[in-house]
């Protein structure tokens, strides 16, 4: 039987062989929610990059560029990391280079996967329905925060694994833990996450609207998938 596993932080990624797996990268607050929103609103592609310098180089080549560090937009860029900024009609049909504190790093670290897709609560059912029919093992990579565990990404991993118990066997206790946390949280994720570190961090930056949006389930039916260096809609 195919397996589903959860890598709780990118620091643990060296323990997994991603070459033969579909990797789902998740950074609920907010990178993968932004990427999902961007593609759903007609952005042609997202180029996820690790460093601010690399992102700047894309901007100098004429691309729109988004950079976030520690929750704040980096000066000199066109966009930060709010899902609402990706709804701007001016971004439609464009490619956007993006760097974020954790999410784009997790994507780059997972890029050798057999296939890499991007997940968020916004496209939860689309991700689940896609994975259900795939003949290979799945690894959900939680972006976390600067190498550390976070709750919101783990809840998403638990939600996906919970929906796939009939088709996949669980490879590791991290998946069981993620499902247990999701069961504890699912009726009121906002309340469950209220003391979590990144919700507190974003709340201190007065980004409540983004938190609420990123915890919305099934707003979009698309899945960003990595093709070469770009994430495009599937
Ligand atoms: O860490 C990341 O990749 C970001 O999503 C963090 S933030 O939500 O923009 O603060």
């Amino acid at each position: 039987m195919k397996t589903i596993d959860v890598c709780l932080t990118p620091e643990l990624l060296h323990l997994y062989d991603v070459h033969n797996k579909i990797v789902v990268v998740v950074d609920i607050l907010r990178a993968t929610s932004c990427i999902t929103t961007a593609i759903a609103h007609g952005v042609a592609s997202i180029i996820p990059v690790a460093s601010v310098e690399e992102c700047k180089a894309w901007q100098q080549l004429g691309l729109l560029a988004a950079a976030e560090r520690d929750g704040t937009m980096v000066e000199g860029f066109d966009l930060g990391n709010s899902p609402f900024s990706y709804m701007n009609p001016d971004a439609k049909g464009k490619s956007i280079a993006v760097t974020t504190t954790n999410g784009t790093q997790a994507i780059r670290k997972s890029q050798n996967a057999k296939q890499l897709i991007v997940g968020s609560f916004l496209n939860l059912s689309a991700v689940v329905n896609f994975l259900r029919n795939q003949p290979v093992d799945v690894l959900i990579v939680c972006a976390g925060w600067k190498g550390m565990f976070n709750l919101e990404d783990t809840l998403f991993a638990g939600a996906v694994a919970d929906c796939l118990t009939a088709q996949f066997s669980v490879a590791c206790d991290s998946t069981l833990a993620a499902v247990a946390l999701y069961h504890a949280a699912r009726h009121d994720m906002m309340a469950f996450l209220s003391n979590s570190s990144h919700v507190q961090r974003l709340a201190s930056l007065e980004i409540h609207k983004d938190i609420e949006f990123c915890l919305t389930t099934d707003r979009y039916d698309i899945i960003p998938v990595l093709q070469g260096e770009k994430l495009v809609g599937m």
Side-chain angles (χ1 to χ4, degrees):
M1 198 179 194
K2 304 169 290 183
T3 62
I4 186 161
D5 207 347
V6 178
C7 176
L8 291 170
T9 99
E11 295 295 306
L12 297 173
L13 198 51
H14 65 279
L15 300 174
Y16 302 88
D17 181 6
V18 298
H19 288 91
N20 55 356
K21 292 181 174 57
I22 297 176
V23 167
V24 185
V25 178
V26 54
D27 183 0
I28 295 299
L29 298 173
R30 295 167 285 172
T32 62
S33 300
C34 284
I35 293 167
T36 305
T37 303
I39 300 293
H41 284 262
V43 168
S45 71
I46 295 285
I47 303 171
V49 299
S51 70
V52 170
E53 292 71 30
E54 207 182 331
C55 203
K56 195 41 123 187
W58 280 108
Q59 190 186 37
Q60 284 162 352
L61 288 174
L63 259 68
L64 284 176
E68 167 276 331
R69 286 296 180 269
D70 296 324
T72 305
M73 178 176 161
V74 181
E75 217 184 302
F77 284 86
D78 306 301
L79 299 129
N81 199 30
S82 169
F84 296 103
S85 55
Y86 289 92
M87 296 175 187
N88 188 331
D90 291 347
K92 228 176 171 164
K94 307 240 169 78
S95 287
I96 306 179
V98 179
T99 185
T100 68
T101 310
N102 305 284
T104 61
Q105 323 285 333
I107 292 169
R108 292 266 65 121
K109 285 181 180 165
S110 306
Q111 67 190 10
N112 292 328
K114 184 177 174 64
Q115 186 170 32
L116 187 155
I117 64 171
V118 160
S120 65
F121 284 112
L122 298 169
N123 67 346
L124 173 64
S125 292
V127 167
V128 165
N129 291 333
F130 169 72
L131 294 176
R132 188 172 279 131
N133 301 316
Q134 300 307 309
V136 295
D137 297 340
V138 168
L139 178 66
I140 304 170
V141 175
C142 300
W145 182 259
K146 297 186 179 176
M148 290 182 287
F149 170 91
N150 80 21
L151 271 179
E152 63 275 12
D153 298 344
T154 308
L155 292 185
F156 172 82
V160 172
D162 192 44
C163 293
L164 294 174
T165 48
Q167 291 84 17
F168 289 81
S169 67
V170 169
C172 182
D173 286 1
S174 55
T175 312
L176 298 177
V179 171
L181 280 171
Y182 174 64
H183 283 173
R186 64 182 160 185
H187 297 301
D188 192 348
M189 283 199 288
M190 196 65 156
F192 190 86
L193 291 170
S194 59
N195 290 325
S196 68
S197 54
H198 201 43
V199 164
Q200 295 278 317
R201 200 175 289 115
L202 292 179
S204 72
L205 296 169
E206 305 200 339
I207 311 182
H208 306 275
K209 198 168 86 157
D210 286 14
I211 302 170
E212 212 168 295
F213 181 81
C214 294
L215 295 180
T216 312
T217 298
D218 289 340
R219 185 176 280 257
Y220 303 123
D221 199 27
I222 55 91
I223 304 174
V225 58
L226 192 65
Q227 275 180 12
E229 63 186 356
K230 295 182 176 180
L231 289 159
V232 297
M234 171 166 75

